[in-house]
Amino acid sequence: VSTQSTWGQYQQMKVSKYFFATIVLLFGHLCMGGNYNYTCKFVLPDNEVYDLTTLRNSKAPDYTFKDQDLLYVVNFCGPTIKRCAGIEGSFVSIWNSSSYDCIVTAAENNPVTNYIDEKNVFKGIRIVYTHGMSSTTVDISCDQIYDRAAFIRAERIHVGYILYFKSKLVCRNYAVPVTDHWSGAAIFLVIVLICIVVYLGCGLCINLRRGSYTSFADLLPHKEFFLNAALKTKECFNNLIGSAMPSQAEEPGNLSPPQNINKIQDLF
C-alpha cells in the first residue's frame, strides 16, 4: 500500500510539473507573439520611421495576386497565413497556379530598408529580404489614394523577385523622425518633476488648512528639514575644503625668520 501511495504521489507531482511548464510556455508564447517577434516600424538611413502596422494581416486573407501562371502570397512585416510546405514565418511565397508547388522567397524579420530613390525620398521605400530561396525586394511607392497596399506588378530578376506596391503610408508626411521619440532619461525627468509638483501642491494645501503660518515660506512642506539639510551640507562642504587646505599656522609666510630657516633646512 505504501508503494502504491508513493507511486501515486509521484505521478501527481509529475502531472503538476508538466501542467505548470505548459502554462509558463503558453504565457511566454502569448507575450512574445508566437515564435517570431515582428516589427512593422522601419527606420530609414535618415532616421525617419515608417510605420506599416496597418498593412499587416493578422488573419486571412493574405495579399495574393497572380502574374502569368504564378500566385504570389505576401504579408507585410509578419508571416503569411497560408504556409508554403508548412514553413512558419514566411513573408513572401510563390506558388505555381497549376501544380500548387511553392517556394519561400522571404522569411526573416530584419530586412534591409532604404528609399527607392535616395535622391528623391518622396518616391517611396524599398524593403529587401535576403533570407529565403531567393532575394525578394518589395518596392512601395507613395500614392495618397491607397490607404492599404495595392499591388502593381511583379518582376523576375536574376537574383530573385521585385514586387511593386503603392500605399500612402510610405509618403513623406507619414514618416516620424526618430528624434521625436522621448528617451528613457527624458521620461524619468518628467516623472520626477511631476512628483515634485504633487509633493509641493499637497504640502501647501495641508499647511494652508492648518492655518499656522505667518508667511508664504511657512506653507512649504517640511521647511525645517530642508533648511537643516542645506546647513549640514554647507558645513560638510566647508569641512572638506578646510581639510584640503593647509592651516594658517603652517603657511611659510606666517612663520618667524628663524622658523622659516628651520623649515627650509628640514626640506633638505
Side-chain angles (χ1 to χ4, degrees):
V1 178
S2 177
T3 303
Q4 293 179 352
S5 177
T6 304
W7 175 254
Q9 292 177 359
Y10 170 76
Q11 290 294 332
Q12 290 179 359
M13 292 175 60
K14 187 176 180 180
V15 171
S16 300
K17 181 179 68 174
Y18 284 114
F19 173 77
F20 285 112
T22 303
I23 295 299
V24 171
L25 291 175
L26 180 61
F27 180 76
H29 180 84
L30 293 175
C31 291
M32 295 300 294
N35 296 328
Y36 299 87
N37 185 18
Y38 299 102
T39 177
C40 292
K41 295 182 179 180
F42 298 97
V43 182
L44 277 289
D46 58 354
N47 286 333
E48 295 288 331
V49 180
Y50 289 83
D51 189 355
L52 305 183
T53 303
T54 56
L55 298 184
R56 177 180 177 180
N57 285 333
S58 57
K59 57 183 180 180
D62 297 306
Y63 292 93
T64 58
F65 49 87
K66 281 188 177 183
D67 185 49
Q68 298 180 358
D69 60 339
L70 298 179
L71 174 67
Y72 295 84
V73 180
V74 182
N75 199 3
F76 292 92
C77 57
T80 58
I81 309 302
K82 186 177 183 179
R83 296 182 182 180
C84 172
I87 299 176
E88 183 179 1
S90 63
F91 289 13
V92 180
S93 60
I94 302 176
W95 301 66
N96 189 305
S97 299
S98 57
S99 63
Y100 292 99
D101 294 332
C102 63
I103 59 172
V104 175
T105 61
E108 64 171 326
N109 191 33
N110 54 342
V112 179
T113 55
N114 205 339
Y115 291 103
I116 296 176
D117 185 354
E118 295 183 6
K119 296 181 180 179
N120 183 10
V121 297
F122 298 93
K123 191 172 182 179
I125 68 172
R126 170 171 292 166
I127 307 172
V128 180
Y129 298 95
T130 55
H131 288 186
M133 298 185 67
S134 64
S135 174
T136 302
T137 300
V138 179
D139 281 2
I140 310 176
S141 301
C142 170
D143 195 322
Q144 297 285 353
I145 298 177
Y146 301 100
D147 293 333
R148 291 178 61 79
F151 173 69
I152 305 174
R153 62 188 176 90
E155 181 180 345
R156 176 70 185 270
I157 56 178
H158 65 285
V159 294
Y161 300 85
I162 302 179
L163 309 180
Y164 298 92
F165 290 86
K166 286 184 178 181
S167 176
K168 72 176 184 181
L169 295 180
V170 299
C171 296
R172 189 68 174 183
N173 56 312
Y174 282 88
V176 179
V178 174
T179 52
D180 284 353
H181 297 280
W182 284 25
S183 64
I187 296 175
F188 174 76
L189 291 177
V190 170
I191 293 175
V192 171
L193 291 176
I194 292 175
C195 292
I196 292 175
V197 171
V198 172
Y199 167 75
L200 291 176
C202 293
L204 288 172
C205 292
I206 292 173
N207 291 335
L208 187 63
R209 292 189 62 183
R210 289 177 178 174
S212 57
Y213 61 91
T214 57
S215 64
F216 179 78
D218 294 334
L219 293 175
L220 297 176
H222 305 100
K223 181 186 69 173
E224 293 79 8
F225 169 78
F226 288 108
L227 289 176
N228 292 333
L231 293 175
K232 294 295 183 182
T233 303
K234 181 180 178 181
E235 292 178 4
C236 181
F237 185 72
N238 291 335
N239 291 335
L240 289 175
I241 295 178
S243 61
M245 299 285 292
S247 62
Q248 187 177 5
E250 294 179 355
E251 293 181 1
N254 295 329
L255 299 176
S256 60
Q259 289 176 327
N260 279 331
I261 294 174
N262 294 333
K263 191 74 174 180
I264 295 174
Q265 289 176 351
D266 292 340
L267 296 176
F268 298 94

